Amino acid sequence: MRSRLASYTDLSLAMVIVGSSVVAGKLAIAEFPVFLALGLRFVLAVAIIVPFLLYLEKGLPRIGWRDFGLLAFQCFCGGVLFNVFLLYGLQWTNPASAGVITSSTPAVIGLISFVFLREKPGLFKLLGIGAAMAGVAVLRLADNSAATATAGAAGATDTSVWGYLLVFGAVLGESIFLVLRKSLHADLSALAVSFWISLLGMCMFAPMAVYQGLGFDFGAVSKQGWLVIVYYAVAITVLAYVFWFRGIRDVPASSAAVFTGILPVSAVLLCALVLDDPVGPWHWAGCGGVAVGILLIARGERRHTKAPEAPQTSQPAKEKENVPPEAPDSPGPPDPIIHRPDRPRKFWSRRPPTL
């Protein structure tokens, strides 16, 4: 089993990379239709993963029907339900409300791990999940306050219960996608899981991607647009999947839930660096809340994995006075009469009976 520090590093890197999808998505959607961009992303990801599988694992991974069904359900939740529910949910609710709902992702993952994986979170895990949720909520509110004010001025702040349910459905789909790796076969490597997720995602998005691609002018795409699609495939799909699936294998799902709070932190910082979006004090406060949550989880894991000390005896060790000396090693089986005096004598005994 890998060390917890290595697993935490993998989870953090995965969420940092996924956070960059906000920037990459804005740049990709500016030149590609949504389903076409997602389809090209998975096609390139499969083309990249296959050579590594052939070289490192000497062939494509074989899985049983149970794992295939779990992987298909995982891909459907994370690839289809999350995107569809979130896009349609935003049409029936304001961005601020949607941001608060999506900040519940750590808690939803913790609940799924408790109900289905039978993981019992301790005090530090619960405090860490709460701190991460608070930090993410502050980040979402800070990001969406201006959009809400603009929508309110235009009279477009109508919300609906269906909007809330759809956004929460997106959160549930993402949570299932992130946790379901714990239910797959243990021998299935992170690279193999990434291959199957990418292959199934390519198949699920293929019909709409082909439909949008038939009337699309690929020659009008700039060099930057193609580079963004390549980045989407290499980093956000292959590397992020491998890091997350490798990290969550040796970490409880309730602990991994807190690391999902790194995603909005990475998105805010990268948007400020690349897209020149403003970063205010509330953004830094939200980042601090996520950092506190991660520290609490790490503290709880150290307490949980700390080896118990050997019990101290109240009396000093006594000298070995009455301990008989060890018998010298003798070849062959031990004599049944010497070592088992209570054993009934047999007629084939090597020693004659004593008169």
Side-chain angles (χ1 to χ4, degrees), residues 78-353:
V80 179
L81 291 186
F82 174 74
N83 291 287
V84 173
F85 281 4
L86 185 62
L87 291 177
Y88 281 99
L90 288 174
Q91 295 181 1
W92 291 337
T93 185
N94 56 66
S97 300
V100 174
I101 296 172
T102 55
S103 66
S104 64
T105 301
V108 174
I109 293 179
L111 182 62
I112 291 175
S113 66
F114 174 75
V115 175
F116 296 100
L117 302 180
R118 304 300 181 186
E119 296 181 1
K120 296 181 179 180
L123 177 61
F124 282 95
K125 286 186 179 181
L126 294 176
L127 292 176
I129 291 174
M133 284 183 58
V136 174
V138 170
L139 282 172
R140 299 295 190 187
L141 289 174
D143 284 340
N144 297 322
S145 58
T148 304
T150 304
T157 56
D158 294 336
T159 60
S160 171
V161 176
W162 291 109
Y164 295 144
L165 293 177
L166 287 173
V167 174
F168 183 75
V171 172
L172 186 61
E174 181 186 21
S175 302
I176 294 174
F177 173 81
L178 295 175
V179 172
L180 207 56
R181 171 64 180 94
K182 305 287 290 185
S183 301
L184 295 174
H185 199 275
D187 294 337
L188 201 60
S189 66
L191 190 63
V193 176
S194 303
F195 165 76
W196 281 108
I197 292 293
S198 300
L199 181 63
L200 292 170
M202 180 185 69
C203 296
M204 290 180 183
F205 282 103
M208 290 300 300
V210 171
Y211 175 77
Q212 291 183 345
L214 291 177
F216 182 73
D217 184 10
F218 290 93
V221 180
S222 65
K223 182 180 179 180
Q224 175 182 328
W226 288 113
L227 290 176
V228 169
I229 295 296
V230 172
Y231 176 80
Y232 236 112
V234 176
I236 300 175
T237 305
V238 178
L239 292 180
Y241 283 2
V242 169
F243 283 142
W244 181 263
F245 294 141
R246 187 173 64 179
I248 199 174
R249 182 175 54 187
D250 301 323
V251 172
S254 56
S255 299
V258 177
F259 289 86
T260 60
I262 299 178
L263 193 157
V265 175
S266 172
V268 168
L269 297 179
L270 289 175
C271 285
L273 293 175
V274 179
L275 303 178
D276 294 328
D277 287 354
V279 177
W282 287 108
H283 291 94
W284 296 115
C287 295
V290 174
V292 170
I294 294 175
L295 292 177
L296 288 172
I297 286 292
R299 174 67 176 174
E301 290 296 330
R302 283 199 301 269
R303 288 172 60 91
H304 179 72
T305 57
K306 185 178 180 181
E309 297 180 357
Q312 298 181 357
T313 57
S314 58
Q315 298 180 355
K318 299 179 179 180
E319 60 265 20
K320 301 178 181 179
E321 296 178 354
N322 301 325
V323 178
E326 296 181 359
D329 297 336
S330 58
D335 193 292
I337 298 180
I338 295 177
H339 293 276
R340 297 285 302 276
D342 57 334
R343 182 175 178 179
R345 194 179 304 278
K346 305 295 182 179
F347 69 90
W348 58 80
S349 173
R350 291 178 294 175
R351 296 177 56 188

Side-chain angles (χ1 to χ4, degrees), residues 2-21:
R2 304 167 68 240
S3 65
R4 286 295 171 88
L5 179 59
S7 299
Y8 288 166
T9 303
D10 284 341
L11 297 175
S12 301
L13 289 175
M15 290 296 103
V16 168
I17 295 174
V18 174
S20 67
S21 64

